[in-house]
Amino acid sequence: MRPLPSRLLAVTDRHGQSRPLADTVQAVLDGGARWVWFRDRDLDPEARRQLGTDVAARTRAAGAFLTVGGDVALARALGADGVHLGGGSGPEAIAAAREVLGPGALIGVSVHTPAEAEIAAAAGADYVTLSPIYPTASKPGYGPALGPEGIAASRRTGLPVVALGGITVDRIPACRDAGAAGAAVMGGLMRAADPAAVARAFLAAWAG
């Protein structure tokens, strides 16, 4: 089982904040985050590539780890360290991503149940994000919140489980105690008035 780059996975979202996304990413990195998931998949390909280039440059300068959501070709173009694939991605998709990005790439898969986590493990994923752990407006339509119990059940697959959905600083201990390898946070970081301070708070909560 491969270790994850950080306990905190910062998930990008340029919406809901007046500052440029790259500035928010910079602030999160300044707060100690060392793993960024470049999401923002609603952009057209060229605009996403341009934004990703800026995010990748900030991430690389900080010595941090960059994961690109759902686009292996873009991950390669940006020199990313890994890719995060959508739910249901099987062995073929994971093998194809490794072939393009190299054997050292970190391949994640989105899952929403312990059973899906088991499938991802069998398919060769390096980790999963499990959501929603808590109720959240950003994950509608994925069923009821799984809670720490869902983390514990998914952790039995042997894969690192990154908790996603409604994760706040005060919920970190429960996720950690349930066996989560880390937490993925989007709105709590991206829309914070002081993303650096929030990143520090999340990392301090993990350190316990």
Side-chain angles (χ1 to χ4, degrees):
M1 184 171 65
R2 295 180 58 180
L4 297 181
S6 173
R7 296 287 196 179
L8 176 62
L9 174 53
V11 187
T12 70
D13 179 12
R14 72 192 187 285
H15 299 293
Q17 182 52 253
S18 58
R19 62 180 170 252
L21 176 66
D23 290 351
T24 302
V25 170
Q26 184 64 61
V28 169
L29 293 167
D30 291 344
R34 288 297 176 266
W35 188 12
V36 175
W37 172 1
F38 176 54
R39 201 163 176 270
D40 291 272
R41 295 185 63 181
D42 58 326
L43 289 166
D44 68 71
E46 179 58 24
R48 191 179 186 217
R49 186 193 64 79
Q50 291 180 3
L51 180 58
T53 298
D54 200 354
V55 169
R58 307 287 187 109
T59 305
R60 191 174 299 113
F65 193 101
L66 179 65
T67 287
V68 170
D71 189 331
V72 175
L74 179 61
R76 181 180 182 181
L78 297 179
D81 305 283
V83 68
H84 194 89
L85 303 175
S89 297
E92 296 83 3
I94 292 169
R98 290 199 195 284
E99 183 175 355
V100 171
L101 300 178
L106 192 70
I107 311 298
V109 175
S110 294
V111 302
H112 306 291
T113 66
E116 290 179 3
E118 188 171 342
I119 292 170
D126 292 311
Y127 71 94
V128 295
T129 55
L130 178 69
S131 66
I133 303 303
Y134 297 100
T136 172
S138 67
K139 285 286 180 182
Y142 288 111
L146 299 167
E149 299 80 8
I151 297 172
S154 299
R155 183 65 185 80
R156 297 188 191 109
T157 65
L159 278 186
V161 175
V162 178
L164 171 64
I167 308 297
T168 55
V169 171
D170 62 314
R171 288 169 169 166
I172 289 293
C175 294
R176 183 189 62 216
D177 294 348
V185 181
M186 186 170 69
L189 287 169
M190 295 293 112
R191 289 186 278 281
D194 187 346
V198 175
R200 284 191 289 269
F202 271 107
L203 291 166
W206 271 107

